[in-house]
Amino acid sequence: MPSRSPSRSARGRIDKLDFDSNRKSTPSNDGSGSEHSGPHLLDDDESLLSDVVDGIIERDRREMRRTVTRYLSFVCAILNCLCAGSITAYSLYGHLFLSRLHYTQLQVNIVSIAAEISMYLPVPLFGYLCDRYSPRPLSLFSGSMFGVGYLLAAFTYHRGPPSAAGGHGWPFGVMVLAFVFVGMATSSMYLSAVTTCAKNFGRGKHKGLALAMPIAAFGLSGMWQSQVGSRLLYEQTADGVRGDVDVFQFFIFLAATLLVVGLLGAVVLQVVDEEELIDEAVEELERSGLLEDSAFFQRSIIHNGSSYGAIDDHRRLSNEEQEHQRREAEAMRAREDEEMRKKTWLLNVETRRFLADHTMWFLAGGFFLVTGPGEAFINNLGTIIGTLYPPPSVAPPSNSAATHVSIVAITSTLARLLTGTLSDLLAPNPASHHHHRPSSAASSLRSITQPSFSLSRVTFLLTSTLLLSLGQLLLASGLIQKHPTLFPFISALVGTGYGAVFSLTPIIISVVWGVENFGTNWGIVAMMPAGGATVWGVVYSAVYQWGAQRNTRQIGGGSARKRVEVLCFGKQCYEASFWAMVVCSWIACGLWVWAWRGPGGWKRRGIAV
């Protein structure tokens, strides 16, 4: 064996056995210190292979855990949204507030408006908390608010008319407060679910469908809950026939169900690999040249280049296990703090960019003009149907409030699923992230990756809005007053347009501005229906009461006057309101076209919407 080394030097090359002969010997188990205790090279190869296999297995396990967590969160998000839209069943019992609690039409609308405002106005705050922390606390908050709100509403209804209306019940303001709680719970449960889906699947191929499914489930919630109320939790008339929904039992049912669902979401909902999402967004901002003036970014480079390296070097020099663990914990805390600072900084930058983008305001303005009338129609379905059947006629079961709530919910759900799926299949593929500045190379890549036929998501948005305006136009024309059996067609048109707009708008936001700050961005735009619902709720109530006063003058005084002055019959109860809604829908289409193709619009920037 010693003779091999001189020959190796003489030849100037290494023999295939030289490496093993010059290795450090490994002590044998018997302590003999034999230099050749076994085939060391083979042992090392087996050890290396074992380490590689173990690493692959552990990586696959981590990936499996992430996949299971992602899809389990998706299922939980669907369940949350499938229950969260209970406020859309308001038409099921809203008319009973008129007849049982002796509220005026304006008071009935004030209750729904309070719910709408509390549902939409806090959404930016809820989105901010959801982005910077996690969806779980928001789901817990929503379950608690639902429980408190519906229990309070149930006992307020059970006590009967308030003293101001000649009864001995709780004041009208208590019912308003109960629905404020319900409104906040609705938006927080919905937003926690949708944000989870957007962040877990927003970078994938089917982001439209991943967002459309929970949004569609939200639309379905009003349908199944109204059916449970009208078919299971109903009052019996004197002759044993099924009557109106038992509002007290219905509210108790909603309180218990939504509390349980909120608690479940607080345990299951989770955003997977959010750190990678943030890192990718920072890299995109860096490549776009938007970080050159950022003091935080410069500090981050220095910190990452020196501080963490110093910690690692010091850790390698440590001889005591306890000291090693302490420094490792300190390094982990430092990394977590840095990641949190980086995340907060990035989301603040994204929020400022979103608010400074003029196309966002065109998108939000159109959303305001379309969703307000849609909310007013859905909330007042019961009273609109009542205008079609003056006494002594009554609405048939095919034209009941529960039936039309279900029609709106089904068509809305189908529209959300259909537009989400079709937008994934037919919409142009974005060449890169939303921060990208178009170049010739990007344009070439986009031309290669585009399908032979594409249809912009904005085209779907415009089409659905025109369908919504068609339903409003037919209602305003008075056609339905002469043919009440056609009213389901109106509900289907409004439900289709309303559902598609609510599905496409967050999808467009995720495409144009990304998903890192989706909760905050969508929350800002989703706040718009609060103003729209308020404005159009007041407009509809004013027109309705004006029509009721005209009926009163025609009928005369006495006890009949007291009853009729609350109710309105005929097209004068809603005609002016819906003509104005038609005009607003068309204006919204103009705003969206301008954001898409106008100066500085998405098409001019090279954003494939």
Side-chain angles (χ1 to χ4, degrees), residues 276-582:
E276 294 182 10
L277 194 68
I278 297 297
D279 289 339
E280 288 179 6
V282 171
E283 290 173 5
E284 288 288 346
L285 282 169
E286 181 183 359
R287 284 196 295 268
S288 68
L290 297 173
L291 299 184
E292 295 173 356
D293 299 327
S294 171
F296 173 85
F297 182 66
Q298 299 300 329
R299 288 198 308 270
S300 180
I301 293 175
I302 296 171
H303 187 66
N304 289 336
S306 60
S307 178
Y308 290 155
I311 290 174
D312 290 340
D313 291 341
H314 194 65
R315 195 190 308 156
R316 285 195 296 269
L317 296 175
S318 177
N319 295 320
E320 298 180 4
E321 186 65 21
Q322 185 176 0
E323 186 68 13
H324 168 76
Q325 292 177 354
R326 184 184 67 81
R327 287 181 178 149
E328 190 176 52
E330 289 178 356
M332 185 176 296
R333 282 196 297 271
R335 284 193 294 269
E336 289 174 353
D337 291 343
E338 181 67 14
E339 288 295 327
M340 190 62 191
R341 284 196 298 270
K342 179 168 66 174
K343 178 181 176 180
T344 302
W345 168 83
L346 172 70
L347 297 182
N348 290 338
V349 169
E350 295 279 4
T351 302
R352 287 194 296 271
R353 287 173 53 80
F354 182 72
L355 292 174
D357 192 336
H358 70 281
T359 61
M360 182 279 289
W361 295 104
F362 288 125
L363 179 65
F367 195 63
F368 168 85
L369 293 173
V370 170
T371 54
E375 297 279 356
F377 176 84
I378 294 171
N379 290 336
N380 293 285
L381 265 174
T383 56
I384 295 172
I385 293 170
T387 64
L388 306 178
Y389 298 95
S393 60
V394 294
S398 60
N399 252 4
S400 66
T403 299
H404 285 280
V405 168
S406 298
I407 291 173
V408 171
I410 291 173
T411 54
S412 173
T413 300
L414 292 176
R416 296 174 198 214
L417 290 173
L418 189 62
T419 53
T421 304
L422 289 179
S423 67
D424 280 340
L425 296 175
L426 299 179
N429 298 320
S432 65
H433 197 270
H434 57 290
H435 296 302
H436 180 70
R437 294 175 179 175
S439 63
S440 58
S443 301
S444 301
L445 176 63
R446 184 162 55 249
S447 64
I448 294 173
T449 57
Q450 291 306 323
S452 57
F453 173 77
S454 64
L455 204 59
S456 171
R457 294 175 177 88
V458 182
T459 303
F460 288 108
L461 187 64
L462 296 173
T463 303
S464 60
T465 303
L466 291 176
L467 288 176
L468 175 67
S469 69
L470 177 60
Q472 296 165 342
L473 180 64
L474 292 175
L475 191 57
S477 67
L479 175 68
I480 304 303
Q481 196 66 43
K482 300 176 183 177
H483 306 282
T485 54
L486 296 178
F487 195 76
F489 181 63
I490 303 297
S491 296
L493 284 173
V494 173
T496 300
Y498 179 83
V501 168
F502 253 98
S503 176
L504 288 165
T505 304
I507 293 173
I508 290 173
I509 289 173
S510 70
V511 170
V512 177
W513 292 281
V515 298
E516 304 84 25
N517 203 39
F518 175 82
T520 304
N521 294 347
W522 171 225
I524 292 170
V525 176
M527 182 174 60
M528 299 301 162
T534 302
V535 171
W536 289 107
V538 171
V539 169
Y540 175 82
S541 298
V543 172
Y544 184 95
Q545 290 192 317
W546 172 78
Q549 290 171 358
R550 288 188 61 187
N551 286 345
T552 302
R553 287 196 296 270
Q554 293 170 4
I555 291 177
S559 59
R561 176 187 175 93
K562 268 190 172 178
R563 178 181 176 274
V564 176
E565 69 183 359
V566 177
L567 302 177
C568 181
F569 306 99
K571 70 175 185 178
Q572 73 270 11
C573 307
Y574 55 80
E575 183 181 18
S577 302
F578 282 93
W579 276 120
M581 293 177 187
V582 171

Side-chain angles (χ1 to χ4, degrees), residues 168-247:
H168 302 284
W170 291 350
F172 168 70
V174 178
M175 184 66 82
V176 173
L177 178 64
F179 275 84
V180 167
F181 292 151
V182 170
M184 289 193 297
T186 301
S187 61
S188 55
M189 182 173 284
Y190 165 83
L191 194 61
S192 64
V194 173
T195 302
T196 301
C197 294
K199 294 194 175 186
N200 281 340
F201 299 95
R203 293 175 292 173
K205 182 180 178 182
H206 303 293
K207 56 177 167 287
L209 184 60
L211 276 175
M213 288 186 68
I215 296 172
F218 183 81
L220 272 179
S221 57
M223 183 202 72
W224 75 263
Q225 288 164 353
S226 64
Q227 291 302 316
V228 168
S230 62
R231 297 180 182 276
L232 298 178
L233 305 174
Y234 59 85
E235 299 172 338
Q236 285 190 340
T237 60
D239 54 357
V241 179
R242 185 174 65 192
D244 289 312
V245 61
D246 187 325
V247 179

Side-chain angles (χ1 to χ4, degrees), residues 59-76:
R59 183 195 64 191
D60 290 344
R61 284 174 179 170
R62 286 197 302 268
E63 183 60 31
M64 177 62 71
R65 282 196 295 268
R66 286 197 294 265
T67 302
V68 170
T69 302
R70 183 180 286 113
Y71 281 96
L72 192 60
S73 296
F74 181 72
V75 171
C76 184

